[in-house]
Amino acid sequence: MSTSADRARRTARPRPTRRQVLGTTAGAGLALAAGARGAGAADLPVLGTYDVVVIGSGAAGMTAALTAAKQGLGAVVVEKAATFGGSAARSGAGVWIPNNSVILAAGVPDTPAKAAAYLAAVVGSDVPAARQQAFLAHGPDMISFVMANSPLRFRWMEGYSDYYPELPGGLPNGRSIEPDQFDGNLLGAELAHLNPPYMQVPAGMVVFSADYKWLALAAVSVKGAAVATECLARGTKAALLGQKPLTMGQSLAAALRKGLMDAGVPVWLSTPLTSLYVEGGAVTGAVVTKNGTSGLVRARRAVVVGSGGFEHNASMRAQYQQQPIGTDWTVGAKENTGDGIRAGQQVGGALGLMEDAWWGPAIPLPDQPYFCLAERTLPGGLLINAAGARFVNEAAPYSDVVHTMYRRNPTDPDIPAWLIVDQNYRNRYLFKDVLPTFTFPDNWYSSGAAHKAWTLDALASSVGVPAAALRATVDRFNSLALKGTDPDFGRGDSAYDHYYTDPSVLPNSCLAPLWLPPYYAFRIVPGDLGTKGGLVTDARARVLRADGSVIRGLYAAGNASAAVMGHSYAGAGSTIGPAMTFGYIAALDIAGAL
């Protein structure tokens, strides 16, 4: 049986080859040494000159630009998309920052020592200790800074456990925070340029990320019903006040954008990056396309790359990541095609963690993939592989589930896997946005994403797994569920396992038998929130060459950089928290204030 410590390291993740880490940096380094400036870049029209040029308007980029502006530097944000906010605007916007003022004010018993012990246990040797320490040291200050210099406010996500709370320094009640409600009217006409969310909030409601675990239980839980009522009351109040209420990623991106507006920082939309500009061995600008014309944006001090990952670049995913992989299973912003990563690589930047992503089991629905959180954890469901057998703790952190899928798939195929539930489960719980007892859309079935049958044998035939094996697996799972223990995979052993579950189910809120036909199967593939590999940076967010030397004038943060979380995932918001922190660090270092 897996222990919590095992789960932080157990995935037997493939280590990057030298080719994957270095990529083409050797050739790029020669080009940089020769003073490469990009084809004809010196002859291009200068579109503007700023102290700091920020590539990308996600959480990392906007935080970097806001920090630079408040340090007295002139900054501009250059954004490829016609909208601002990137993947952050699409997200639930959890933010994992230990020891921040929000959680300390709420009474969370965090300390720097606990946080350092926990992060070291989760990340291990994959990330230099100095980068881990920089994140922990500057993260709380970053949260205080954005609250003081923008309308962004936060709420503690009480009860959302760290992902490995049994490790040293882990907190079962969680460290994660999320944005508080923001009135979109404060943005004026700029609100129309906000990147839309991955999932729309139900009409007339104001919903926070922390509410979803209870909304899934609204049909069977008094607290769930109360939370649903509270969400509706918030929506009613906002409507009466004439507000345009935003929460989650919409609130995060909109509030940061308002901070930039107030600080006088321009954001150039529909302005993709072509290359970085180099003079005298330092990055001194960016070549971009604005209004259909290629031009140079000069940077007196530095360029900060915060342009996101490469999840929508099929050739890069094929080059660096395991098969099967593709661009249609990710929920990251569609513009994330690795532009900033490739530009940094071309001027000598080393790459790291390119084989990894912010993974999570996803259902490939016809309109877009659905990233499964509660659905695979709620009692009365289990995951099976092509052999009709369970292969993982379904309630484990989502990145661990996909790491397991990839590790096992070559010898024991589980891509795709199948989430199996029964009608009792469907009668009790929200599934995506489909209410309990309601039928699923026809195109879920016609696309092969969902299957339904009145017997397990028929369901097995429909999804192509051995019927006898599926029956045996469900029988075994049911016997364990009745006892409330899972010696096979440890489901329910960790406090984290119980977050998206039904507390009315005893003796283990993670486990309930499947007994009521019809039965359902949902296709599960390795989805992701974005890639987590990119330019290698130091504790000051400076981009490094393969030999560890610093590329002057070039910084990176967010998913354009190799993640400080390494191959793991400390808690909800382990993407956005470090992205904002290293954007903040980059700007402070550029200003000489670090």
Side-chain angles (χ1 to χ4, degrees):
M1 181 176 66
S2 299
T3 67
S4 297
D6 291 335
R7 294 205 304 185
R9 304 179 179 87
R10 71 183 179 191
T11 53
R13 300 160 301 228
R15 296 296 177 183
T17 64
R18 181 173 177 82
R19 177 186 64 82
Q20 288 175 315
V21 173
L22 301 184
T24 59
T25 53
L30 293 174
L32 180 60
R37 301 180 179 183
D43 301 322
L44 291 173
V46 176
L47 303 177
T49 301
Y50 299 85
D51 294 316
V52 181
V53 176
V54 177
I55 312 298
S57 67
M62 287 199 284
T63 303
L66 182 63
T67 307
K70 293 300 180 178
Q71 287 293 319
L73 302 179
V76 65
V77 177
V78 175
E79 170 57 55
K80 175 183 182 179
T83 56
F84 69 87
S87 292
R90 291 171 53 79
S91 74
V95 177
W96 195 83
I97 299 284
N99 292 296
N100 69 74
S101 59
V102 178
I103 63 172
L104 295 180
V108 176
D110 203 3
T111 67
K114 286 181 183 178
Y118 178 67
L119 189 63
V122 170
V123 175
S125 60
D126 288 336
V127 175
R131 284 196 72 216
Q132 297 181 43
Q133 291 162 4
F135 165 62
L136 294 174
H138 294 286
D141 291 340
M142 180 277 294
I143 291 295
S144 297
F145 168 81
V146 295
M147 289 195 296
N149 292 281
S150 77
L152 184 57
R153 299 293 181 268
F154 294 98
R155 304 157 52 99
W156 176 39
M157 301 174 74
E158 183 176 3
Y160 203 150
S161 171
D162 285 342
Y163 287 178
Y164 307 99
E166 293 79 21
L167 290 179
L171 296 184
N173 220 21
R175 293 175 162 100
S176 300
I177 58 177
E178 64 170 310
D180 209 338
Q181 184 175 329
F182 176 78
D183 182 7
N185 287 323
L186 296 177
L187 280 183
E190 189 64 12
L191 180 61
H193 299 135
L194 174 61
N195 199 22
Y198 157 59
M199 282 186 63
Q200 294 289 344
V201 171
M205 302 180 80
V206 173
V207 181
F208 297 105
S209 281
D211 294 329
Y212 274 104
K213 66 166 288 184
W214 294 109
L215 293 180
L217 306 174
V220 294
S221 163
V222 172
K223 182 168 182 178
V227 169
T229 301
E230 183 179 357
C231 292
L232 184 59
R234 291 189 205 118
T236 301
K237 179 180 179 180
L240 291 173
L241 293 174
Q243 297 177 345
K244 295 178 180 176
L246 303 176
T247 57
M248 298 180 280
Q250 296 287 280
S251 175
L252 177 74
L256 285 174
R257 182 69 184 92
K258 181 66 166 84
L260 293 183
M261 292 169 64
D262 292 344
V265 177
V267 176
W268 297 355
L269 301 178
S270 301
T271 306
L273 171 72
T274 300
S275 61
L276 297 170
Y277 183 67
V278 177
E279 291 178 299
V283 174
T284 59
V287 178
V288 302
T289 302
K290 185 181 182 188
N291 298 324
T293 300
S294 186
L296 174 64
V297 190
R298 287 191 172 274
R300 298 186 191 95
R301 299 282 190 99
V303 173
V304 180
V305 177
S307 52
F310 60 94
E311 56 266 24
H312 284 281
N313 186 317
S315 63
M316 289 182 73
R317 297 206 83 154
Q319 176 182 359
Y320 294 109
Q321 300 190 320
Q322 296 178 74
Q323 295 296 328
I325 197 65
T327 59
D328 53 349
W329 295 343
T330 181
V331 300
K334 65 181 183 299
E335 292 82 8
N336 290 349
T337 54
D339 304 359
I341 297 171
R342 288 179 294 165
Q345 186 184 27
Q346 287 165 5
V347 300
L351 305 182
L353 297 176
M354 295 293 282
E355 73 282 9
D356 215 338
W358 302 100
W359 303 114
I363 303 173
L365 297 177
D367 54 343
Q368 65 175 354
Y370 176 63
F371 197 90
C372 280
L373 291 174
E375 291 81 5
R376 65 187 169 83
T377 300
L378 286 164
L382 67 155
L383 286 171
I384 61 165
N385 60 17
R390 287 181 74 206
F391 62 93
V392 71
N393 169 13
E394 296 87 351
Y398 33 90
S399 56
D400 280 0
V401 175
V402 173
H403 277 135
T404 299
M405 292 172 74
Y406 273 124
R407 187 187 75 237
R408 293 173 49 98
N409 192 60
T411 56
D412 194 9
D414 46 30
I415 301 175
W418 297 95
L419 172 62
I420 310 297
V421 306
D422 70 345
Q423 189 60 43
N424 180 54
Y425 174 108
R426 281 298 303 126
N427 289 344
R428 296 175 63 84
Y429 308 126
L430 182 75
F431 195 103
K432 189 179 179 284
D433 54 359
V434 181
L435 294 172
T437 74
F438 279 52
T439 59
F440 293 119
D442 290 341
N443 64 0
W444 288 24
Y445 296 109
S446 61
S447 68
H451 296 252
K452 176 182 177 181
W454 286 90
T455 67
L456 288 174
D457 283 9
L459 190 69
S461 176
S462 183
V463 302
V465 304
L470 178 58
R471 275 188 275 110
T473 296
V474 172
D475 286 346
R476 168 71 176 168
F477 181 83
N478 287 352
S479 68
L480 298 179
L482 292 172
K483 296 174 184 175
T485 61
D486 180 18
D488 296 345
F489 296 99
R491 181 167 168 179
D493 289 354
S494 170
Y496 171 78
D497 294 357
H498 293 271
Y499 182 70
Y500 285 111
T501 56
D502 183 349
S504 70
V505 173
L506 299 173
N508 185 333
S509 67
C510 295
L511 297 172
L514 287 70
W515 57 272
L516 182 65
Y519 300 95
Y520 301 83
F522 303 93
R523 185 180 179 92
I524 299 292
V525 297
D528 65 70
L529 302 171
T531 51
K532 62 159 51 174
L535 297 165
V536 174
T537 59
D538 65 7
R540 292 157 62 181
R542 301 177 299 178
V543 175
L544 305 178
R545 299 182 183 90
D547 63 4
S549 61
V550 172
I551 298 177
R552 288 189 294 121
L554 185 60
Y555 294 74
N559 287 353
S561 63
V564 73
M565 292 293 160
H567 289 287
S568 199
Y569 212 132
S574 291
T575 306
I576 293 177
M580 296 177 70
T581 300
F582 281 103
Y584 174 74
I585 288 172
L588 290 181
D589 193 63
I590 293 166
L594 195 60

